[in-house]
Amino acid sequence: MDYDEALSKYEPVLGFEVHVELSTRTKMFSSAPNPAAADSESAGPNTMVAPVDMGLPGSLPVVNEQAVRYSISLGLALGCSIAETCRFARKNYFYPDLGKNYQISQYDEPIAFEGSVEVELEDGTIWTVPIERAHMEEDAGKLTHVGGSTGRIQGADSSLVDYNRAGVPLVEIVTKPIVGAGAAAPQLAKAYVATIRDIVRSLGISEARMERGNLRCDANVSLRPRGQERFGTRTETKNVNSLRSVERAVRYEIQRQAAILGAGGTIIQETRHWHEDTGMTSAGRPKSDADDYRYFPEPDLLPIQPSAELIAELRAALPESPTQFRKRLQADYGFTDSEFRDILNANVLVELEETVAKGAAPAQARKWWLGEILRIANARGVEPGTLVSPLHVSELIALVENGDLTDRLARQVLEGVVAGEGSPEHVVQARGLAVVSDDTALLAAIDTALAAQPDVLQKIRDGKVQAAGAVIGAVMKAMRGQADAARVRELVLERAAG
């Protein structure tokens, strides 16, 4: 159903469950290295594990103290109350990638509860999103499906289990139902997840890189007819891993559910999978209610009882809020409201701030993130921050500022960096893209160009300085764009003066 038509008939009700992987040195309940904090890209499957992670008989969990501290800090940053005492529970469900076949989580006694977060939309509107709870748990492992054409379980011959991620510390942030967003619902979804990402990054408790799974969003959507009080049946789109996808998934679910309801159908309470390539969701499994998980207190772990002194210490160490952070950066960088809004809407504020911290001027950082990088990201349908690191952008800007690259050459270097060819300096050397600064080589090219256009020098001497443009263009072509056009112009005028 058309989006505007869907909104005229139904009111969307939203809810989000955001999972944040904590960057502790070790896992939640074992001494195994935490892949979310380590350089695990080259780690082989099942190499970052301990008996607890594998669910081996006789192994017992031990709570990671740093994970508890991080969880309390996050709860405080979300405006939550911190429980005087809370306990872990066993969530019983068939987890093929958790060897013990249950997840240690929290149920009726979360570490943090009853909070709220202010979220700013693209037009500057502020929404207050109510937080129901933030609880601690462990992540599951990873399945690799083999034998199919898509890499998904459908059509696969077998599945391989990698337990490296099993046991990684998680905080799950659960909102209360969000009503009244109307047509802005998809935008609110994106802005909320971006705000959570900014909060956990500012706390230093997670890298929060969605493309790596450090931060994942389960988006709940239901529709109710306009004027009806009772909520409709919700679906839960699982593990959406980019801000762009969160926005698109919510919008799609609103349209899909409206079409079903409009045709007299019934919405099934289920999990759904988001497909980035098609922009659609597909059915997963019927969504279980809490009773189906048969929660009961984890018998191998004592209750967590954070002291008032610890809570006070962590509260005092909280950084500025995302709203304060944005206002400070805008003032520090001297951007206008519209310039800063473009940065927020492109979702590159964190990347821009890190680029400036590496030494780039704010205006140059803004130029590259909102220019060529954003163009490539839009063409590929990905987030700009997944293409290139702030460090490499700052290095690219430095090469331009030092005169080693022109803007045209820098765009070619950026293409190489995005393609995985290495740092800007390495791409420059490998592709031979550095600006030619040797006046001898430039003068040779200028003399060749003047020989082909013998009347140019006289035109310049007669006051028609713009005639130098034809020579400059010929030199730039001969030098494959690797000459400094300003320096070429200077040398051409010197030849004319001589």
Side-chain angles (χ1 to χ4, degrees):
M1 182 181 292
D2 177 78
Y3 186 68
D4 292 335
E5 182 183 357
L7 268 295
S8 69
K9 295 180 178 180
Y10 303 100
E11 179 186 13
V13 179
L14 307 177
F16 303 105
E17 300 164 21
V18 175
H19 297 78
V20 179
E21 286 187 344
L22 302 178
S23 298
T24 54
R25 186 176 58 83
T26 56
K27 293 185 178 179
M28 188 72 215
F29 302 112
S30 82
S31 60
N34 179 3
D39 181 12
S40 60
E41 295 295 318
S42 59
N46 300 306
T47 58
M48 306 178 79
V49 295
V52 170
D53 311 316
M54 304 287 288
L56 298 181
S59 59
L60 293 174
V62 177
V63 175
N64 186 322
E65 179 183 357
Q66 187 63 58
V68 175
R69 294 175 64 96
Y70 281 175
S71 301
I72 293 173
S73 293
L74 179 53
L76 292 171
L78 297 172
C80 290
S81 299
I82 304 302
E84 294 182 2
T85 181
C86 63
R87 69 170 65 241
F88 288 99
R90 288 190 182 182
K91 182 180 181 182
N92 295 276
Y93 180 74
F94 177 65
Y95 290 96
D97 42 10
L98 271 178
K100 54 185 179 290
N101 211 26
Y102 62 83
Q103 181 189 38
I104 300 179
S105 181
Q106 291 187 307
Y107 174 44
D108 56 344
E109 298 182 42
I111 186 71
F113 57 93
E114 294 295 333
S116 64
V117 173
E118 286 192 348
V119 174
E120 184 176 358
L121 303 188
E122 292 180 2
D123 62 0
T125 303
I126 302 295
W127 268 84
T128 299
V129 175
I131 303 296
E132 179 178 298
R133 57 191 281 141
H135 64 261
M136 300 178 288
E137 60 185 21
E138 60 180 335
D139 209 346
K142 180 181 178 181
L143 293 176
T144 300
H145 305 295
V146 181
S149 59
T150 64
R152 298 183 178 274
I153 193 170
Q154 294 85 358
D157 298 326
S158 59
S159 297
L160 304 177
V161 185
D162 180 4
Y163 288 102
N164 280 352
R165 196 175 65 186
V168 166
L170 285 181
V171 174
E172 179 177 349
I173 306 165
V174 182
T175 69
K176 294 181 180 179
I178 304 168
V179 298
Q187 187 188 139
L188 175 59
K190 175 183 176 181
Y192 169 72
V193 179
T195 300
I196 296 298
R197 183 199 63 174
D198 293 347
I199 288 173
V200 299
R201 282 184 174 178
S202 68
L203 290 169
I205 64 176
S206 174
E207 291 189 6
R209 295 184 60 174
M210 297 188 73
E211 76 277 8
R212 289 188 178 181
N214 300 142
L215 188 147
R216 310 187 292 272
C217 176
D218 298 342
N220 292 269
V221 178
S222 68
L223 299 181
R224 60 182 179 184
R226 291 286 174 182
Q228 177 179 296
E229 290 295 321
R230 183 171 55 83
F231 291 161
T233 301
R234 66 185 172 92
T235 62
E236 180 182 357
T237 304
K238 299 286 288 183
N239 294 330
V240 188
N241 65 353
S242 80
L243 298 180
R244 179 174 178 268
S245 295
V246 169
E247 183 176 27
R248 294 175 67 204
V250 168
R251 186 182 183 94
Y252 175 80
E253 270 301 292
I254 290 173
Q255 294 179 263
R256 185 189 71 85
Q257 292 184 26
I260 294 173
L261 294 173
T266 302
I267 304 299
I268 299 172
Q269 182 172 325
E270 62 185 355
T271 64
R272 297 188 66 83
H273 303 292
W274 170 250
H275 302 279
E276 182 67 37
D277 53 347
T278 62
M280 301 169 66
T281 63
S282 62
R285 60 174 174 82
K287 177 60 179 174
S288 302
D289 291 317
D291 290 345
D292 298 319
Y293 293 121
R294 302 187 312 282
Y295 284 100
F296 64 87
E298 168 57 65
D300 293 328
L301 293 172
L302 293 172
I304 303 296
Q305 297 177 319
S307 67
E309 291 76 17
L310 173 61
I311 295 172
E313 172 195 332
L314 296 175
R315 189 187 301 276
L318 290 178
E320 59 191 342
S321 70
T323 300
Q324 294 170 328
F325 171 71
R326 291 168 181 170
K327 289 180 178 178
R328 177 177 59 80
L329 281 192
Q330 182 178 356
D332 289 348
Y333 295 165
F335 292 144
T336 65
D337 289 345
S338 62
E339 288 173 338
F340 201 71
R341 183 71 54 199
D342 289 342
I343 294 168
L344 295 178
N345 292 346
N347 186 36
V348 294
L349 179 59
V350 172
E351 288 77 11
L352 186 144
E353 190 267 341
E354 292 179 359
T355 303
V356 173
K358 299 294 184 182
Q364 288 298 312
R366 181 181 182 277
K367 168 189 170 182
W368 281 95
W369 281 107
L370 292 186
E372 193 66 12
I373 300 172
L374 183 60
R375 183 192 67 77
I376 298 173
N378 288 338
R380 298 188 180 190
V382 299
E383 299 288 345
T386 65
L387 294 174
V388 60
S389 71
L391 174 61
H392 283 164
V393 176
S394 69
E395 291 174 348
L396 183 70
I397 292 171
L399 290 171
V400 175
E401 293 293 304
N402 294 336
D404 298 318
L405 292 176
T406 62
D407 272 7
R408 180 172 176 270
L409 292 173
R411 288 192 291 272
Q412 296 180 50
V413 173
L414 177 64
E415 291 175 0
V417 174
V418 171
E421 296 175 18
S423 69
E425 186 68 41
H426 182 82
V427 174
V428 168
Q429 297 299 325
R431 293 193 178 192
L433 294 175
V435 167
V436 175
S437 56
D438 179 6
D439 282 358
T440 302
L442 295 178
L443 286 170
I446 289 170
D447 289 341
T448 300
L450 287 172
Q453 305 176 68
D455 57 333
V456 170
L457 285 181
Q458 189 57 50
K459 289 181 179 179
I460 296 174
R461 288 166 181 160
D462 292 341
K464 298 178 181 179
V465 178
Q466 63 270 22
V471 175
I472 295 171
V475 172
M476 295 300 292
K477 182 177 181 181
M479 303 297 292
R480 296 183 304 158
Q482 291 179 242
D484 182 342
R487 181 57 181 159
V488 172
R489 186 176 187 276
E490 290 176 0
L491 293 174
V492 171
L493 296 180
E494 287 179 8
R495 276 283 194 263

